[in-house]
Amino acid sequence: MKQVKMSDVAKKAGVSLSTVSQYMNCRYEYMSGETREKIKSVMEELNYVPNSIARSLATAKTKTIGVVVGNITGYFTSSVVRGVEDYCKKNGFSIIIYNTDHDIELEQKSINILKMLRVDGILIVPSGKNNEMINQESSSGMPIVQMYMEYDDLNISTVISNYRESAYDATEYFINLGHKNIAIITQEYENTRSRYDRILGYKDALINNGLSFNEDLIHIWDVSPDMNLLFEKISKNKNLPTAIFVMHSAITINLLKHFKLKNINIPEDFSIIGFDEIPNADLMKTPITVVKQPTYEIGQKSAELILEKINNKNEVENKKIVIPCQLKIRESCKKYNKIKS
């Protein structure tokens, strides 16, 4: 069967080759709606499939975006990526997704493969371990945007939630319910701006409400599914918490599993707030109050920013877009009116 060419489409549609080319590159402002529909109809009739390799060589663009994430199966990440995909699709771009499984070498390999595939830009949830490499790629001209994880030594554009303000609001909600000993469970945060800002928001709320900041109430989770040792440490603290602010959804889920196993009740024994939405939270025995990040919007804004950088390579400076979160109040917190014995 003879391969259909762009010239065949132009001839049958009664337009110039350049008009079909403009259509293929989504430059619709150069043609009428009638012309667009005519070209689309002829392409479908002839079953024309564009030669993407030839187009990329001619235009130096592949109309593809690389997306590098730790694990797309997570509720949070999958929602962000869906926002990215929908925005890119609407603007004539495709995405290529790489999962790193939080492996440093896989992250490096993913970036290098995406370069070889000639993607026009990269959206990344960085591990923080390859920041020098990412900075070099950005300086070499590759448009890169980091999504919902932020590092001070990464000199690239960022789309992030208002972590500090959101952590402040959640902590103050606890305080207004009468809680004074408020524990935090978080991942290692010292070198990660997006995690450290949550600690700062928590600290700000305590101090501004006349409470002391006690580092003994901050507990580090090491991504282990076993909560026994960590919760034993929390329970033996001389300042036994009445409320727990959990800084990541994976930790919240593991904590809830531990509570169920040990017959610990929410909010009777502990009031709980989690950072990030939990799937089907409303169906739980005790629906959990959460700081809900606008995941889909983060994806949309990230895609919008990377396309802006691609289309105006020499004009767009690095930007930081901060999107507000929502404190979604459910049933996992109660007023604290007495000292625990």
Side-chain angles (χ1 to χ4, degrees):
M1 181 181 291
K2 180 184 175 183
Q3 184 178 2
V4 179
K5 300 179 180 179
M6 191 186 296
S7 58
D8 298 323
V9 175
K11 183 177 179 180
K12 189 167 182 63
V15 298
S16 68
L17 194 61
S18 63
T19 300
V20 178
S21 177
Q22 298 282 11
Y23 177 88
M24 295 299 302
N25 287 287
C26 303
R27 299 195 187 104
Y28 303 134
E29 66 271 20
Y30 295 97
M31 64 192 72
S32 67
E34 183 181 352
T35 300
R36 285 172 57 182
E37 287 302 316
K38 181 65 175 176
I39 295 172
K40 179 182 177 183
S41 177
V42 169
M43 286 175 60
E44 291 173 352
E45 180 185 343
L46 298 179
N47 195 26
Y48 172 66
V49 179
N51 187 331
S52 59
I53 296 176
R55 286 177 60 208
S56 67
L57 290 173
T59 64
K61 288 187 178 181
T62 60
K63 306 289 282 187
T64 56
I65 303 297
V67 180
V68 181
V69 297
N71 183 1
I72 197 174
T73 61
Y75 174 82
F76 182 98
T77 302
S78 61
S79 179
V80 171
V81 172
R82 183 54 193 260
V84 170
E85 183 180 28
D86 286 352
Y87 189 90
C88 287
K89 192 185 301 180
K90 185 174 68 176
N91 288 275
F93 278 72
S94 301
I95 66 172
I96 301 172
I97 303 169
Y98 271 87
N99 289 288
T100 67
D101 294 321
H102 308 286
D103 183 278
I104 300 168
E105 291 184 3
L106 273 178
E107 184 177 67
Q108 294 174 352
K109 186 177 180 180
S110 299
I111 294 169
N112 285 329
I113 291 174
L114 289 170
K115 281 174 57 187
M116 287 190 290
L117 292 172
R118 297 170 59 90
V119 296
D120 297 323
I122 296 175
L123 294 173
I124 187 168
V125 182
S127 66
K129 306 299 184 182
N130 290 310
N131 291 355
E132 184 177 349
M133 174 190 185
I134 294 171
N135 281 330
Q136 287 176 351
E137 295 298 340
S138 177
S139 298
S140 298
M142 173 66 77
I144 306 179
V145 173
Q146 60 181 331
M147 304 186 293
Y148 69 82
M149 290 292 287
E150 182 183 14
Y151 297 88
D152 288 335
D153 60 345
L154 258 183
N155 186 31
I156 58 176
S157 291
T158 308
V159 179
I160 204 88
S161 295
N162 62 337
Y163 291 128
R164 188 166 183 169
E165 294 86 348
S166 298
Y168 185 104
D169 292 342
T171 306
E172 192 165 64
Y173 177 69
F174 272 144
I175 295 169
N176 291 337
L177 289 174
H179 296 278
K180 295 183 179 180
N181 287 345
I182 304 166
I184 277 184
I185 305 179
T186 184
Q187 290 178 264
E188 191 61 55
Y189 61 87
E190 290 292 347
N191 298 314
T192 309
R193 167 56 55 185
S194 49
R195 293 175 185 163
Y196 188 55
D197 275 350
R198 303 181 197 197
I199 304 300
L200 291 178
Y202 161 82
K203 183 178 180 180
D204 292 343
L206 293 174
I207 293 173
N208 290 347
N209 283 276
L211 300 177
S212 59
F213 172 67
N214 184 351
E215 288 193 6
D216 289 340
L217 287 169
I218 299 179
H219 302 276
I220 306 298
W221 185 68
D222 63 357
V223 199
S224 165
D226 185 5
M227 293 292 295
N228 282 316
L229 293 176
L230 178 59
F231 201 76
E232 184 179 347
K233 182 180 177 183
I234 293 173
S235 301
K236 289 183 177 180
N237 194 311
K238 63 179 180 180
N239 297 309
L240 180 65
T242 60
I244 303 175
F245 189 5
V246 191
M247 291 299 183
H248 308 277
S249 58
I251 309 177
T252 306
I253 291 169
N254 277 279
L255 182 65
L256 295 178
K257 288 178 181 177
H258 178 80
F259 279 7
K260 183 178 180 180
L261 186 67
K262 299 295 184 180
N263 294 315
I264 298 172
N265 297 311
I266 304 169
E268 291 79 10
D269 297 318
F270 295 96
S271 289
I272 301 290
I273 294 178
F275 214 109
D276 295 336
E277 184 61 286
I278 302 171
N280 302 315
D282 291 325
L283 302 180
M284 294 179 177
K285 179 182 176 182
T286 305
I288 304 299
T289 295
V290 296
V291 176
K292 185 176 181 180
Q293 293 195 67
T295 50
Y296 187 82
E297 186 179 355
I298 289 172
Q300 292 259 300
K301 288 293 184 184
S302 298
E304 180 182 350
L305 184 51
I306 198 72
L307 293 193
E308 182 184 354
K309 291 177 78 69
I310 290 167
N311 293 325
N312 304 280
K313 255 186 177 178
N314 299 320
E315 300 174 17
V316 180
E317 296 182 356
N318 286 334
K319 293 182 180 180
K320 180 176 178 179
I321 297 174
V322 181
I323 306 175
C325 298
Q326 173 193 6
L327 182 61
K328 198 170 182 65
I329 297 172
R330 297 191 177 109
E331 300 168 24
S332 62
C333 302
K334 73 167 189 175
K335 288 187 177 181
Y336 182 74
N337 297 313
K338 63 179 181 179
I339 300 175
K340 276 194 169 185
S341 58

